[in-house]
Amino acid sequence: MRRDRAMRMRLDRHRTASNATEVGETTTQVVLAVPIVLSFILMAVQGAIYMHTAHVASASAARGASAGAALNGGIIAALDAAVRSAAELSAQLVEEPLAKVDANKVAVTVNLRVPQVSPFFRFNVSRTVVEPRERFIPEDER
């Protein structure tokens, strides 16, 4: 019995001594690990928001280009459709969309600001869509 008791006391002293050297280690790990993990999560969310904003810019430019390429469309219809589309999708325009109308094609460029989640990423997204102009050819001229 005494031998068991002495052995337990030695083990308890050893555990106490080893625990005394580890005091604060968990706090240090948490202080270092949590900001790194949160930074990775914020970067992933920022990447998803960037991709969403790029898609919204593409959709707005495509709507503007298709409105401008219509038979009775033009530069005003293209700009109006691009601005309206961006507003409907709650996008923040950096500047007014640019539209260029030729005899054969319509090009619309939309520049959007990416919402900022993490403090060190600040981006704008610009997308350009080009569509051929719609032409009406009478039956007898085909």
Side-chain angles (χ1 to χ4, degrees):
M1 274 254 206
R2 282 186 173 189
R3 195 174 199 188
D4 290 338
R5 192 173 190 184
M7 187 69 114
R8 279 191 215 138
M9 287 176 67
R10 278 190 218 145
L11 286 174
D12 287 342
R13 276 191 228 141
H14 178 68
R15 285 186 193 142
T16 306
S18 66
N19 288 344
T21 60
E22 296 176 5
V23 172
E25 187 175 328
T26 304
T27 304
T28 305
Q29 290 172 356
V30 169
V31 165
L32 294 176
V34 169
I36 292 171
V37 170
L38 286 178
S39 295
F40 282 128
I41 291 170
L42 286 177
M43 283 192 291
V45 170
Q46 187 69 55
I49 290 174
Y50 179 85
M51 297 305 288
H52 173 71
T53 305
H55 179 72
V56 169
S58 295
S60 297
R63 274 195 189 170
S66 66
L71 185 60
N72 295 327
I75 195 164
I76 294 173
L79 292 174
D80 182 51
V83 169
R84 185 175 297 152
S85 176
E88 286 174 357
L89 296 171
S90 300
Q92 188 177 14
L93 289 167
V94 174
E95 59 190 15
E96 290 296 316
L98 302 172
K100 183 179 177 187
V101 179
D102 291 347
N104 297 326
K105 65 183 177 193
V106 175
V108 176
T109 301
V110 176
N111 194 5
L112 299 178
R113 178 168 288 118
V114 177
Q116 192 174 2
V117 174
S118 57
F120 38 86
F121 288 106
R122 196 167 186 98
F123 294 112
N124 293 332
V125 174
S126 181
R127 294 292 186 262
T128 301
V129 174
V130 179
E131 282 202 24
R133 296 263 337 232
E134 202 173 89
R135 294 183 316 171
F136 176 73
I137 300 173
E139 184 72 33
D140 58 341
E141 293 179 14
R142 293 186 199 172

